[in-house]
Structures are given as structure tokens and as C-alpha cells.
Amino acid sequence: MTDVKLPFKVADLGLAPQGHLKIDWAEARMPVLMALREEHARRGSLKGMRVAGCLHVTKETAVLVRTLVAAGAEVAWSGCNPLSTQDDVAAALADQGVPIYAWHGMSTEEFYWAIDRTLDFQPTLTLDDGADLIFSVHNRHPELAKGVIGGTEETTTGVHRLRAMAAAGALKYPVIAVNDAETKWDFDNVFGTGQSSIDGILRATSVLLAGKNFVVAGFGHCGWGCAMRAHGLGANVICTEIKPTAALKAVLHGFRVLPMDEAARIGDIFITATGMKDVIVTRHFASMKDGAIVCNTGHYDCEVNLRELAALASGVREIRPNCEEYTLRDGRRIYVLAKGRLVNLAAAEGHPSEVMDMSFANQFLSLIRLAREGRGLAVGVHDIPETQDQELAGLKLGTLGVGIDALTPEQLRYRDDYTSGT
Ligand code: 9W4
């Protein structure tokens, strides 16, 4: 790569009109972020801030970028995963003057080149999904760290690594763990993954879910979301688990719980959401019904062992986009969606904009907090205050037209009274 400074680098600027349409569509579904945009544009809350972001280039991210710009920040952007970059959205951001360096399928070398271009303008705030930007500042450009007031991190994995870095005394500026906000992970995992995984299955197959045996491996938040939504469409949901408390929750939610060895024989559709490898392996494929559909919505693509399936198969063909038909030697057919990768991202569009609204409102408020508190925040990983969760949930309820009650002064006194018994 050359080191000539480019104002942006995207796949094709001609895709900008299509990107603008996508972003406008998302904006209309992200009312909390839009309300915050209006308020902080008026106040100029991010004036003088230079924000470098390394986050999936999607229509929802673009709404966040537009919001940062409206609040007065200068912004430079790169994607945090070469496969998640939507080229039309990247083009639209470049078209509106954002220095963005992102295109679908970029190489690892290009990925770091893009991050470095966003660091050229010496950010005062960093925004991460996976911590690659923060790591780049610390490991490859340590001289920039003193100019950074703070950063935010979007994901579980990133937060985990940053906590380890802070514990080792290696972190040089404060970071806010956006992931750990209740209005982020609870809603992403249950409602975002729940709906988008079903969406991916339907886009890839167009099968009727009603009356089907729908097997969900893992009853964590994502598994719960998938089970609930499949049930809502009339499927007979069967859950598999290894953890007694999680299995018990599934039972009390009214789902059937079976070991995978038994579920494999009767399932029509299988989705894995465990975070563990080898959840579906040879002996399961060997007992599946002809026509069984298998997919994954867990973070890693090793939950369904496709190497073992391929070893049983006499042929494989792509029968529809994101749907491969494996024909086994005994003639049975098994359909694998999105090559065992996250079906909600590869075959659908990830979390709906309404869900990302809350995650990105948390991102936005965290950057404003960093800008406001400046150097006052201690170096380390900080949680989002509970009050921010309540504020955002309250705003979201308002946009949905839902009113709730508040405790009266008398009730507050009753709640806090420790002198008389209950
Ligand atoms: N997207 C992603 C990753 C891999 C991938 C078909 C096989 C995560 C969070 C948000 O990781 C993300 N591999 C693909 S497509 C694809 C997409 N393929 C294509 O062949 C490989 C990702 C956050 N998010 C939402 O969920 C909604 N808006 C958001 O910003 C986005 C993307």
C-alpha cells in the first residue's frame, strides 16, 4: 500500500445514492439516536473532538456517524470486519464528506492501513468494536495515546481483552464498556439475534416454520430469543443444553428439552447458539431426517462440524443463496445455511435498526461523557451508569408511545424506611 493521504477510500463512490437510501431508512427506525442528535447538535456537545471509529460499516453505524458529525465532532472511520462492510453505505459516508477507509473483502494488510489512516488525524476519542483501534494506538502508535481523552468498546470480546490490559497496567486511557449496558446486550442478544436469526433462516429457505420441529442448541440469551420467535411462528421448539439452570429455564418457558442425540432424530430445523465447537457432529448428521436444515447463530463457525458432514456426503451444491445441499451416501439431504457462519448476519441484516438504536445511543452518550469529563475519568475500563440505561429505555418507551408509572413520595419513603417492619 502507498502512504499517500487519501480523503477516503471505498469500493465504488457510484454506490452512494443506494447507500443514502439505506441510511435514511435506518434513521427513521432509530428515534432515540435521532432525538439525541437533535439535542446535542443544538448544544454542540462534541465540538473540538476528533473521533476515530472502527466499527462495522452498516446503515445503522452510518446513522451514528451522522449523529457524531451533527454534534460537532470531526470523524474518521474504518470497518472492524472486512466482511461486514456494506460498500454502498461506505460510499454514502464518503459522499457526505466523512474520511472513511473501508471496502468489502479488504485484506488484513489493508485493514490495518485503513485504521492507520483514521489515526492520521490524531483522534481525541476512539470508538471500537473488537478493540483493534485501541490496540493499534497502544502497540503501533503509542505516541498518540497521550492525545486521546478516552474510548468506547462495543463487544464482549473487546471489553474482556481491555479489562485484561487494564489489569496488567498496559491501558493508557479510560475506556467505557458499552457492551455491558443492559440496554445493549440484553436487547441485542434476545430481540436482535432472535428475530434476525429467524429472518436469515426464512430468507435462505422460505420454509414454513409452523408445525416444524425447531431445535435450538443453547438456551442463553440468543437461544432464548430464537426459541421464543420460532414458537411465535408456530414451530414446536426443542432446546438442548448442558447447564442445568439454563435447561430448567427452557422447561419453565414451556419448551421441550432433549439431549442433542435425541433431538437430532426428530428435528426439521437446527440452530446452534452455544459458543462451543462440535455441537452437531457425525453421529447427529447420521440420524437426521431427510431435508433437515442446519445453521448457526453463535459467534464462531465451528458449532456445526461441516468437515464431518462433508465426509459423509457424496455431493454438495448451492441450491439457493446461502443454502447448500449436502447429499449423503444413503440419499438423505441435509441443508446447511451460510456455511455454518452466523446466519443472522450472512443471510439477513443482523440486528434490526430499532435494536441498534439503543446500542448506538449508548455509544453516543458514552463519547459525550468522555468529552465532558475529559481527563477526569481514571484510566481503566468503566461501566455505563445504571441511570443511562434507565434514561435510554425511558426514551425508547416514549418513542413507542408507552407510558409507565413513577413512585409517589409516600411510596419512596415506604421503600427506604428501615425503622418499621414490612
Ligand atoms: N457481519 C458479518 C460478519 C461476517 C460475514 C457470505 C460467507 C456484526 C455486528 C453488526 O460481523 C458482522 N460473513 C459474511 S457476511 C458477514 C457479515 N459472508 C457472506 O459468505 C461470508 C456484523 C452490528 N450491526 C447489526 O447487527 C446491524 N447493524 C449493525 O451495525 C454488524 C455486522
Side-chain angles (χ1 to χ4, degrees):
M1 298 292 317
T2 67
D3 264 324
V4 177
K5 296 223 170 106
L6 299 168
F8 62 81
K9 187 162 162 61
V10 298
D12 177 4
L13 204 53
L15 297 172
Q18 191 184 310
H20 284 302
L21 293 179
K22 280 192 180 173
I23 302 169
D24 290 348
W25 177 264
E27 267 185 356
R29 274 146 203 86
M30 301 179 79
V32 173
L33 197 52
M34 295 303 281
L36 293 174
R37 180 189 296 183
E38 199 185 306
E39 178 189 341
H40 291 280
R42 220 175 333 103
R43 294 205 211 159
S45 305
L46 291 176
K47 276 217 175 78
M49 289 294 134
R50 291 188 300 276
V51 182
C54 180
L55 182 64
H56 303 287
V57 179
T58 62
K59 57 190 183 305
E60 292 80 16
T61 295
V63 178
L64 174 62
V65 172
R66 283 184 181 177
T67 305
L68 295 170
V69 172
E74 279 181 77
V75 175
W77 219 259
S78 70
C80 65
N81 177 341
L83 290 178
S84 66
T85 293
Q86 295 172 7
D87 286 328
D88 48 5
V89 171
L93 286 173
D95 176 57
Q96 70 181 63
V98 174
I100 177 166
Y101 308 88
W103 58 97
H104 185 87
M106 68 204 307
S107 67
T108 305
E109 187 199 351
E110 290 165 336
F111 176 82
Y112 288 106
W113 174 86
I115 288 183
D116 286 353
R117 297 293 69 73
T118 69
L119 291 176
D120 280 344
F121 90 142
Q122 305 188 326
T124 56
L125 296 170
T126 62
L127 186 158
D128 260 282
D129 181 314
D132 281 315
L133 180 56
I134 295 182
F135 292 157
S136 292
V137 170
H138 282 72
N139 302 334
R140 294 187 296 112
H141 304 281
E143 73 285 357
L144 293 178
K146 62 181 180 308
V148 181
I149 295 169
T152 59
E153 167 56 46
E154 172 83 4
T155 62
T156 317
T157 328
V159 168
H160 187 81
R161 290 186 185 152
L162 290 167
R163 285 195 202 283
M165 204 167 155
L171 191 64
K172 293 191 178 144
Y173 57 79
V175 179
I176 298 181
V178 171
N179 181 71
D180 296 357
E182 191 180 351
T183 42
K184 197 274 183 185
W185 64 268
D186 221 14
F187 293 84
D188 269 25
N189 292 344
V190 183
F191 302 100
T193 305
Q195 174 169 315
S196 58
S197 300
I198 303 292
D199 187 12
I201 293 171
L202 296 182
R203 290 192 202 194
T205 66
S206 87
V207 293
L208 179 72
L209 290 194
K212 295 278 166 49
N213 289 337
F214 189 96
V215 179
V216 180
F219 199 73
H221 281 77
C222 295
W224 173 29
C226 294
M228 192 166 54
R229 294 305 179 234
H231 173 76
L233 285 166
N236 305 311
V237 175
I238 298 163
C239 299
T240 73
E241 251 303 335
I242 51 140
K243 193 175 173 189
T245 49
L248 186 57
K249 279 184 199 166
V251 171
L252 298 197
H253 272 284
F255 301 123
R256 202 170 161 198
V257 173
L258 289 174
M260 183 57 91
D261 283 357
E262 290 175 39
R265 283 200 285 275
I266 57 176
D268 297 301
I269 301 164
F270 297 80
I271 185 161
T272 54
T274 69
M276 180 44 63
K277 67 174 192 168
D278 292 342
V279 177
I280 300 183
V281 293
T282 301
R283 67 177 191 283
H284 303 124
F285 295 125
S287 66
M288 280 182 190
K289 297 199 278 194
D290 178 32
I293 293 167
V294 179
C295 65
N296 165 54
T297 196
H299 190 69
Y300 303 104
D301 60 7
C302 53
E303 299 206 18
V304 179
N305 193 320
L306 290 181
R307 226 174 357 89
E308 294 191 10
L309 178 59
L312 297 175
S314 57
V316 188
R317 59 175 178 162
E318 184 177 79
I319 189 158
R320 294 166 57 91
N322 285 310
C323 182
E324 281 182 332
E325 178 189 68
Y326 285 72
T327 303
L328 308 196
R329 281 189 283 279
D330 61 11
R332 281 177 304 126
R333 290 154 301 178
I334 291 177
Y335 298 95
V336 175
L337 310 186
K339 296 186 186 292
R341 299 190 176 109
L342 284 93
V343 71
N344 68 320
L345 291 165
E349 292 173 63
H351 304 318
S353 306
E354 289 89 337
V355 172
M356 296 310 295
D357 190 20
M358 308 242 272
S359 306
F360 287 170
N362 274 305
Q363 280 284 1
F364 183 62
L365 289 184
S366 299
L367 290 174
I368 286 184
R369 177 177 163 205
L370 287 167
R372 192 182 292 151
E373 298 194 17
R375 309 276 171 189
L377 218 56
V379 172
V381 180
H382 297 263
D383 284 333
I384 282 186
E386 157 78 7
T387 48
Q388 182 170 313
D389 263 332
Q390 298 308 332
E391 179 194 338
L392 287 184
L395 280 173
K396 190 75 170 175
L397 285 168
T399 68
L400 294 167
V402 177
I404 61 170
D405 294 321
L407 292 179
T408 63
E410 175 59 28
Q411 286 174 315
L412 282 170
R413 269 194 300 279
Y414 171 76
R415 187 189 65 180
D416 299 337
D417 183 12
Y418 57 89
T419 57
S420 48
T422 52

